[in-house]
């Protein structure tokens, strides 16, 4: 993508008008990439603000854009009509933002979503907030009422930059047709540079309709945005010494490891020095969970062994993690004996929640490289590793699955994992099913786990599967493990999956409850199931068929393997309505604000 | 059917010796450190563009930073404005304020001012004018100027450090105060020391050097 961007981007900001009216934009004259413009050899010059917007997308190498039409964004859609960018019409803008988000996670390049002004823009907000919490790169383009109506409460007017300021990395109100293309280019550059995140450009209709011949400038971050790549050598040296002398070291890999393409470097580092590895939830996939050194995920529903290790370590090497409270539990009891080496590209994450004894600001891959070079001898931690293995067997993630009982969700997750390849991509909604997916799917590759971590947005599963499908390789299966409540929130996206014939398998772990809430009510509200009993759920297999997708249903263990195989083999969207044990709960569990080392293994321990 | 997982129960598990405080700092049992909030002045140089003030004030409100005053005005460079922000926060809180501010794209540089920085506030104090001579005497005491007077009222302009303004208001209150309008603190570093360097932003590693001393302004 960036390769292509480099080819098509105008080299010179100061283009002269003669060249442009000549019929070929100067940047495109040297165009050799045959995919960029199939029909005409030359790219048509920009004549309107909207065309400049689309040109900026093309320059950035955008293949797909997810959105919904509407009055204020119509000029942009009109310009898209002639573009090679494939627009995927979604059934709801929330889905457009989630699809773009998942596209960004799987491909590493910003996903694009579009919406009209007012309700279109506000519908995007959940997805933008989700991307913001998880540092996922997306570019949101919203229509806006014409400039002269702004501030008058005009039809479908919302102060979109105002509404999205707290949930975007940066946003811009475009007020100049000659600059609007560059605004979009800049939004692209900002979305992926440094700590990734969502950016938004609000596009008043008069600006996109206005005439301009101004080609967008190359994607470039504003001068005021600076990213530090390498950490200070003296702190690296001190941290390296600390690692060499550690008795109980742990590597904690967060989502930043995946986004920073540092998984490989972290694996090498862990293996070379035989350091046990824990991931955060967004860090899943950064280290192979089937490796002996892996203790999997720590935190509220992390494994017992990860939580024991993080609680008892003396040296915690946190990379690309922001120490979210679902990971740390109560701050007072989080890794209380550990000196923290914290690697992050965002200085503001250092000592935000947990004090960093060794702050290492920089790009994860670069800094891990610096650390690798600086660590001369591996820590002597044989006893510690043995202890970690002991915890693995003491607190193993085993479950009962008697034939005569309702299907246990863990079994279904494992069966899905079994039926798909190592590179299969898993997306989820939010709730118990999401936690079972974390716990019982064995992730081995980065960018195969797509979920709503920081925001915890129900409804994320299906739209993100759509985005993931379009970003994934053809031979990668895409499986959405959803909850009945979460699926119900955005299942209109099935219409999109059917229209585009996307090969997605949705497994709805149907307990006719919003199960996670039911679990908390059982534990903390004396079993009073206020508004959590969803016995009025539709039959999801039939609903899928009504949309034109393939529907399946699982009621008992005999159905599991065959049905899953058939659904995965089906070439198109399929939905399995999996009727699981409605009383199944997620363990281990650390109650919010609790002590990670005191995780509960049963309800009695809560 | 069994519900839950096997393994030693919480009370059977070893527990670590250490602890952290609310700010995530490990507590050395020997020297128990607590961080009390302190008042300090942060200066930020920003792009002079629409929306930047709301970006900054929004950041303060949504992160629940305790802000005392915020002033903003143009600088020697017409494309840039300076914001002077007085906050009352713990040391880790002040650290976060600076870093979060620095993250905003239109923010060019951010710095906590030294305690000896020049800090000034302007206040307009409108008092009852029953005793004009005494009002004038008090105004004199605080180097104030009478900027408006009527048969019933006198409005005095006072500039100075926050304490001076407070003292002036206190003293004027004997006459009966009708209205007060204060600007909040604006500040500049002393001498050749640059308040907020434009161009070269502070490096992130510098920004993460933890200050172990506490700066407290003397004249504010
Ligand atoms: C949009 C949204 N609304 C509400 C919640 C609160 N919430 C968290 S988990 C959960 C239950 C989810 O139920 P379901 O999707 O059926 O999954 P299950 O827990 O049963 O696996 C709810 C309501 C949320 N996370 N997101």
């Amino acid at each position: 993508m960036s390769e292509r961007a480099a080819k098509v981007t105008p080299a010179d900001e100061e283009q002269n008008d003669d060249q442009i009216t000549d019929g070929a934009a100067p940047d495109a004259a040297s165009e050799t990439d045959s995919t960029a413009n199939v029909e005409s050899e030359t790219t048509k010059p920009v004549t309107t603000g909207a065309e400049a917007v689309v040109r900026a997308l093309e320059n950035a190498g955008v293949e797909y854009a997810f959105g919904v039409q509407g009055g204020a964004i119509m000029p942009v859609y009109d310009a898209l009509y002639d573009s090679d960018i494939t627009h995927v019409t979604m059934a709801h803008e929330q889905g457009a933002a989630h699809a773009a988000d998942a596209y960004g996670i799987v491909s590493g390049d910003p996903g694009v979503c579009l919406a009209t002004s007012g309700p279109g823009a506000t519908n995007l907000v959940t997805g933008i907030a989700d991307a913001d919490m998880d540092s996922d790169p997306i570019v949101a383009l919203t229509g806006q009422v014409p400039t002269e109506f702004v501030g008058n409460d005009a039809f479908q007017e919302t102060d979109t930059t105002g509404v999205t300021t707290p949930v975007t990395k940066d946003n811009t109100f475009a007020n100049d047709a000659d600059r609007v293309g560059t605004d979009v280019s800049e939004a692209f550059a900002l979305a992926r540079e440094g700590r990734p995140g969502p950016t938004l450009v609000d596009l008043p209709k008069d600006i996109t309709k206005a005439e301009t011949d101004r080609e967008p400038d190359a994607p470039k971050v504003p001068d005021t945005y600076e990213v530090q790549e390498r950490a200070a050598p003296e702190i690296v040296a001190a941290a390296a010494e600390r690692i060499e002398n550690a008795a109980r070291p742990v590597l904690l890999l967060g989502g930043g490891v995946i986004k920073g393409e540092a998984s490989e470097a972290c694996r090498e580092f862990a293996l070379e020095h035989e350091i046990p590895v824990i991931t955060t939830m967004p860090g899943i996939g950064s280290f192979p969970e089937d490796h002996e050194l892996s203790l999997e995920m720590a935190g509220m529903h992390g494994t017992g062994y990860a939580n024991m290790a993080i609680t008892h370590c003396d040296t915690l090497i946190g990379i690309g993690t922001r120490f979210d409270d679902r990971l740390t539990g109560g701050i007072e009891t989080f890794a209380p004996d550990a000196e923290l080496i914290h690697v992050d590209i965002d200085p503001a994450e250092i000592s935000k929640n947990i004090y960093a004894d060794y702050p290492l600001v920089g790009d994860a891959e670069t800094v891990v490289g610096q650390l690798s070079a600086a660590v001369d001898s591996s820590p002597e931690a044989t006893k510690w590793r043995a202890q970690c293995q002991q915890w693995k067997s003491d607190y193993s993630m085993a479950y009962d699955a008697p034939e005569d009982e309702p299907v246990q969700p863990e079994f279904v997750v494992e069966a899905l994992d079994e039926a798909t390849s190592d590179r299969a991509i898993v997306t989820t909604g939010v709730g118990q099913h999401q936690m079972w997916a974390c716990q019982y799917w064995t992730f081995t590759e980065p960018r195969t786990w797509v979920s709503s971590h920081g925001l915890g947005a129900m409804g994320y599963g299906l739209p993100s599967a759509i985005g993931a499908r379009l970003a994934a390789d053809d031979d990668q299966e895409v499986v959405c493990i959803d909850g009945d409540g979460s699926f119900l929130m955005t299942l209109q996206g099935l219409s999109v999956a059917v229209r585009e014939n996307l090969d997605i398998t949705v497994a709805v772990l149907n307990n006719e409850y919003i199960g996670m809430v039911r679990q908390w009510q059982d534990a903390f509200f004396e079993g009073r199931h206020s508004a959590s009993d969803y016995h009025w759920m539709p039959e999801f297999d039939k609903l899928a068929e009504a949309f034109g997708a393939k529907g399946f249903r699982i009621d008992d263990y005999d159905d599991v393997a065959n049905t899953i195989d058939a659904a995965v083999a089906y070439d198109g969207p399929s939905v399995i309505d999996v009727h699981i044990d409605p009383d199944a709960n997620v363990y281990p569990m650390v109650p919010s604000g609790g002590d990670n080392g005191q995780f509960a293994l049963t309800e009695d321990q809560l | 059917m069994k519900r839950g997982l096997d393994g030693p129960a919480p009370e059977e598990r070893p527990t670590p010796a250490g602890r952290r405080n609310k700010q995530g700092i490990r507590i050395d049992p020997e020297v128990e450190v607590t961080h009390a909030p302190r008042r300090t002045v942060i200066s930020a140089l920003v792009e002079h563009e629409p929306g930047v003030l709301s970006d900054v004030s929004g950041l303060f409100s949504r992160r629940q930073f305790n802000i005392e005053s915020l002033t903003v005005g143009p600088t020697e460079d017409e494309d840039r404005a300076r914001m002077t922000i007085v906050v009352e926060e713990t040391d880790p809180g002040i650290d976060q304020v600076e870093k979060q501010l620095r993250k905003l794209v239109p923010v060019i540089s951010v710095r906590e001012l030294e305690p000896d920085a020049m800090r000034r506030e302007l206040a307009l104090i409108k008092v009852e004018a029953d005793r004009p001579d005494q009002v004038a005497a008090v105004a004199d005491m605080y180097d104030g100027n009478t900027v408006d007077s009527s048969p019933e009222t006198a409005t005095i302009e006072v500039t100075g450090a926050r304490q001076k303004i407070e003292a002036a208001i206190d003293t004027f209150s004997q006459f009966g105060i009708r209205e007060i309008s204060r600007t909040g603190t604006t500040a500049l570093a002393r001498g050749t020391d640059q308040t907020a360097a434009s161009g070269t932003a502070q490096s992130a590693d510098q920004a993460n050097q933890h200050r172990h001393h506490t700066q407290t302004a003397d004249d504010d």
Side-chain angles (χ1 to χ4, degrees), chain A residues 224 228 232 312 332 334-339 346-348 350-351 355 361 394-395 398 400 581 587 597-599 601, chain B residues 1-8 10 13-14 16-18 20-22 24 26 47 62 96 99 103 105 204-205 208 210:
Chain A
T224 54
Q228 179 173 318
H312 290 272
E332 293 92 335
F334 179 73
D337 289 344
E339 292 213 6
D346 180 357
I350 306 284
S351 299
Y355 179 84
V361 179
D394 286 350
Y395 301 104
D400 276 348
D581 180 355
Y587 292 104
Q598 299 286 298
F599 51 86
L601 295 164
Chain B
M1 191 189 131
K2 172 189 106 182
R3 293 260 167 237
L5 299 167
D6 295 328
R13 298 175 204 151
R20 292 180 189 272
N21 68 11
K22 289 263 178 249
R26 268 180 318 126
E47 300 273 14
R62 74 175 173 274
Q96 264 299 303
K99 287 175 180 172
K103 259 172 84 161
V105 174
D205 280 305
N208 283 300
H210 295 288

Side-chain angles (χ1 to χ4, degrees), chain B residues 12-32:
Chain B
E12 293 158 27
R13 298 175 204 151
T15 47
R19 241 184 133 62
R20 292 180 189 272
N21 68 11
K22 289 263 178 249
Q23 280 102 18
I25 303 171
R26 268 180 318 126
I27 299 169
D28 183 344
E30 307 292 306
V31 255
E32 181 97 12

Side-chain angles (χ1 to χ4, degrees), chain A residues 32-99:
Chain A
T32 50
D33 188 340
S34 58
T35 60
N37 211 312
V38 193
E39 268 113 358
S40 55
E41 283 303 321
T42 51
T43 308
K44 280 195 299 180
V46 157
T47 62
T48 64
E51 286 172 10
V53 168
V54 172
R55 179 63 52 80
L57 299 184
E58 291 168 345
N59 289 353
V62 171
E63 277 185 283
Y64 294 101
F66 305 89
V68 178
Q69 258 284 18
I73 196 75
M74 277 174 72
V76 178
Y77 272 88
D78 187 61
L80 271 176
Y81 197 71
D82 295 325
S83 167
D84 291 328
I85 294 171
T86 304
H87 179 267
V88 181
T89 299
M90 300 297 287
H92 188 292
E93 289 88 352
Q94 181 187 349
H98 289 330

Side-chain angles (χ1 to χ4, degrees), chain A residues 94 126 429-436 455-459 482-489 508-519 531-532 534 537 580 586:
Chain A
Q94 181 187 349
T126 300
V430 169
Q432 293 179 312
H433 61 280
Q434 180 188 26
M435 296 304 135
W436 288 315
L455 192 68
M458 286 169 73
D482 222 337
D484 45 346
S486 294
F487 188 49
L488 198 62
M489 286 199 176
V508 183
L509 302 189
N510 187 351
N511 50 9
E512 298 199 355
Y513 275 113
I514 46 169
M516 189 58 98
V517 169
R518 203 253 311 120
Q519 174 166 350
S532 60
Y534 277 30
M537 278 290 139
I580 58 161
V586 186

